[in-house]
PDB file of all heavy atoms in Angstrom:
ATOM      1  N   ASN A  28     -27.330   3.963  -4.301  1.00  0.00           N
ATOM      2  CA  ASN A  28     -28.005   5.138  -3.732  1.00  0.00           C
ATOM      3  C   ASN A  28     -27.012   6.059  -3.013  1.00  0.00           C
ATOM      4  O   ASN A  28     -27.358   6.713  -2.021  1.00  0.00           O
ATOM      5  CB  ASN A  28     -29.137   4.732  -2.778  1.00  0.00           C
ATOM      6  CG  ASN A  28     -30.121   5.875  -2.560  1.00  0.00           C
ATOM      7  OD1 ASN A  28     -30.358   6.688  -3.448  1.00  0.00           O
ATOM      8  ND2 ASN A  28     -30.688   5.929  -1.373  1.00  0.00           N
ATOM      9  N   HIS A  29     -25.791   6.114  -3.526  1.00  0.00           N
ATOM     10  CA  HIS A  29     -24.770   6.975  -2.946  1.00  0.00           C
ATOM     11  C   HIS A  29     -24.931   8.407  -3.439  1.00  0.00           C
ATOM     12  O   HIS A  29     -25.286   8.648  -4.589  1.00  0.00           O
ATOM     13  CB  HIS A  29     -23.381   6.455  -3.301  1.00  0.00           C
ATOM     14  CG  HIS A  29     -22.992   5.245  -2.519  1.00  0.00           C
ATOM     15  ND1 HIS A  29     -21.800   4.569  -2.733  1.00  0.00           N
ATOM     16  CD2 HIS A  29     -23.612   4.584  -1.520  1.00  0.00           C
ATOM     17  CE1 HIS A  29     -21.719   3.561  -1.888  1.00  0.00           C
ATOM     18  NE2 HIS A  29     -22.811   3.543  -1.155  1.00  0.00           N
ATOM     19  N   ASP A  30     -24.618   9.343  -2.533  1.00  0.00           N
ATOM     20  CA  ASP A  30     -24.738  10.753  -2.890  1.00  0.00           C
ATOM     21  C   ASP A  30     -23.534  11.242  -3.686  1.00  0.00           C
ATOM     22  O   ASP A  30     -23.658  11.987  -4.651  1.00  0.00           O
ATOM     23  CB  ASP A  30     -24.873  11.605  -1.624  1.00  0.00           C
ATOM     24  CG  ASP A  30     -26.100  11.233  -0.817  1.00  0.00           C
ATOM     25  OD1 ASP A  30     -27.199  11.272  -1.392  1.00  0.00           O
ATOM     26  OD2 ASP A  30     -25.956  10.900   0.365  1.00  0.00           O
ATOM     27  N   ALA A  31     -22.348  10.875  -3.252  1.00  0.00           N
ATOM     28  CA  ALA A  31     -21.116  11.422  -3.830  1.00  0.00           C
ATOM     29  C   ALA A  31     -20.516  10.463  -4.842  1.00  0.00           C
ATOM     30  O   ALA A  31     -20.524   9.244  -4.656  1.00  0.00           O
ATOM     31  CB  ALA A  31     -20.100  11.707  -2.724  1.00  0.00           C
ATOM     32  N   MET A  32     -20.005  11.030  -5.914  1.00  0.00           N
ATOM     33  CA  MET A  32     -19.332  10.237  -6.946  1.00  0.00           C
ATOM     34  C   MET A  32     -18.052  10.932  -7.360  1.00  0.00           C
ATOM     35  O   MET A  32     -17.944  12.166  -7.275  1.00  0.00           O
ATOM     36  CB  MET A  32     -20.254  10.026  -8.154  1.00  0.00           C
ATOM     37  CG  MET A  32     -21.500   9.217  -7.810  1.00  0.00           C
ATOM     38  SD  MET A  32     -22.509   8.771  -9.238  1.00  0.00           S
ATOM     39  CE  MET A  32     -21.502   7.492 -10.002  1.00  0.00           C
ATOM     40  N   TYR A  33     -17.088  10.122  -7.791  1.00  0.00           N
ATOM     41  CA  TYR A  33     -15.742  10.621  -8.057  1.00  0.00           C
ATOM     42  C   TYR A  33     -15.202  10.014  -9.350  1.00  0.00           C
ATOM     43  O   TYR A  33     -15.518   8.870  -9.694  1.00  0.00           O
ATOM     44  CB  TYR A  33     -14.789  10.221  -6.920  1.00  0.00           C
ATOM     45  CG  TYR A  33     -15.212  10.701  -5.558  1.00  0.00           C
ATOM     46  CD1 TYR A  33     -16.205  10.047  -4.843  1.00  0.00           C
ATOM     47  CD2 TYR A  33     -14.601  11.809  -4.979  1.00  0.00           C
ATOM     48  CE1 TYR A  33     -16.597  10.486  -3.592  1.00  0.00           C
ATOM     49  CE2 TYR A  33     -14.983  12.257  -3.727  1.00  0.00           C
ATOM     50  CZ  TYR A  33     -15.986  11.587  -3.039  1.00  0.00           C
ATOM     51  OH  TYR A  33     -16.365  12.034  -1.801  1.00  0.00           O
ATOM     52  N   TRP A  34     -14.294  10.746  -9.985  1.00  0.00           N
ATOM     53  CA  TRP A  34     -13.493  10.212 -11.084  1.00  0.00           C
ATOM     54  C   TRP A  34     -12.018  10.395 -10.749  1.00  0.00           C
ATOM     55  O   TRP A  34     -11.585  11.494 -10.366  1.00  0.00           O
ATOM     56  CB  TRP A  34     -13.793  10.937 -12.395  1.00  0.00           C
ATOM     57  CG  TRP A  34     -14.945  10.368 -13.139  1.00  0.00           C
ATOM     58  CD1 TRP A  34     -16.195  10.897 -13.266  1.00  0.00           C
ATOM     59  CD2 TRP A  34     -14.959   9.149 -13.894  1.00  0.00           C
ATOM     60  NE1 TRP A  34     -16.983  10.083 -14.040  1.00  0.00           N
ATOM     61  CE2 TRP A  34     -16.248   9.010 -14.441  1.00  0.00           C
ATOM     62  CE3 TRP A  34     -14.008   8.160 -14.168  1.00  0.00           C
ATOM     63  CZ2 TRP A  34     -16.619   7.923 -15.240  1.00  0.00           C
ATOM     64  CZ3 TRP A  34     -14.372   7.089 -14.959  1.00  0.00           C
ATOM     65  CH2 TRP A  34     -15.662   6.975 -15.488  1.00  0.00           C
ATOM     66  N   TYR A  35     -11.280   9.278 -10.909  1.00  0.00           N
ATOM     67  CA  TYR A  35      -9.841   9.294 -10.703  1.00  0.00           C
ATOM     68  C   TYR A  35      -9.147   8.824 -11.976  1.00  0.00           C
ATOM     69  O   TYR A  35      -9.686   8.042 -12.748  1.00  0.00           O
ATOM     70  CB  TYR A  35      -9.428   8.335  -9.586  1.00  0.00           C
ATOM     71  CG  TYR A  35      -9.873   8.721  -8.205  1.00  0.00           C
ATOM     72  CD1 TYR A  35     -11.083   8.278  -7.698  1.00  0.00           C
ATOM     73  CD2 TYR A  35      -9.061   9.509  -7.392  1.00  0.00           C
ATOM     74  CE1 TYR A  35     -11.488   8.609  -6.418  1.00  0.00           C
ATOM     75  CE2 TYR A  35      -9.455   9.855  -6.110  1.00  0.00           C
ATOM     76  CZ  TYR A  35     -10.668   9.394  -5.630  1.00  0.00           C
ATOM     77  OH  TYR A  35     -11.054   9.732  -4.361  1.00  0.00           O
ATOM     78  N   ARG A  36      -7.929   9.271 -12.092  1.00  0.00           N
ATOM     79  CA  ARG A  36      -7.053   8.782 -13.157  1.00  0.00           C
ATOM     80  C   ARG A  36      -5.893   8.069 -12.486  1.00  0.00           C
ATOM     81  O   ARG A  36      -5.345   8.553 -11.483  1.00  0.00           O
ATOM     82  CB  ARG A  36      -6.556   9.970 -13.981  1.00  0.00           C
ATOM     83  CG  ARG A  36      -5.457   9.626 -14.940  1.00  0.00           C
ATOM     84  CD  ARG A  36      -5.007  10.823 -15.730  1.00  0.00           C
ATOM     85  NE  ARG A  36      -3.836  10.481 -16.518  1.00  0.00           N
ATOM     86  CZ  ARG A  36      -3.596  10.922 -17.736  1.00  0.00           C
ATOM     87  NH1 ARG A  36      -4.441  11.764 -18.323  1.00  0.00           N
ATOM     88  NH2 ARG A  36      -2.508  10.548 -18.384  1.00  0.00           N
ATOM     89  N   GLN A  37      -5.521   6.908 -13.028  1.00  0.00           N
ATOM     90  CA  GLN A  37      -4.399   6.151 -12.480  1.00  0.00           C
ATOM     91  C   GLN A  37      -3.378   5.895 -13.576  1.00  0.00           C
ATOM     92  O   GLN A  37      -3.689   5.293 -14.600  1.00  0.00           O
ATOM     93  CB  GLN A  37      -4.889   4.827 -11.874  1.00  0.00           C
ATOM     94  CG  GLN A  37      -3.805   4.076 -11.122  1.00  0.00           C
ATOM     95  CD  GLN A  37      -4.343   2.833 -10.426  1.00  0.00           C
ATOM     96  OE1 GLN A  37      -5.252   2.180 -10.912  1.00  0.00           O
ATOM     97  NE2 GLN A  37      -3.793   2.507  -9.260  1.00  0.00           N
ATOM     98  N   ASP A  38      -2.173   6.356 -13.357  1.00  0.00           N
ATOM     99  CA  ASP A  38      -1.045   6.106 -14.252  1.00  0.00           C
ATOM    100  C   ASP A  38      -0.022   5.268 -13.509  1.00  0.00           C
ATOM    101  O   ASP A  38       0.082   5.357 -12.278  1.00  0.00           O
ATOM    102  CB  ASP A  38      -0.400   7.428 -14.690  1.00  0.00           C
ATOM    103  CG  ASP A  38      -1.340   8.290 -15.492  1.00  0.00           C
ATOM    104  OD1 ASP A  38      -1.484   8.040 -16.704  1.00  0.00           O
ATOM    105  OD2 ASP A  38      -1.967   9.201 -14.905  1.00  0.00           O
TER     106      ASP A  38
END
Side-chain angles (χ1 to χ4, degrees):
Chain A
N28 199 32
H29 285 177
D30 300 304
M32 296 187 73
Y33 303 79
W34 274 106
Y35 292 91
R36 169 180 173 143
Q37 188 175 34
D38 297 279

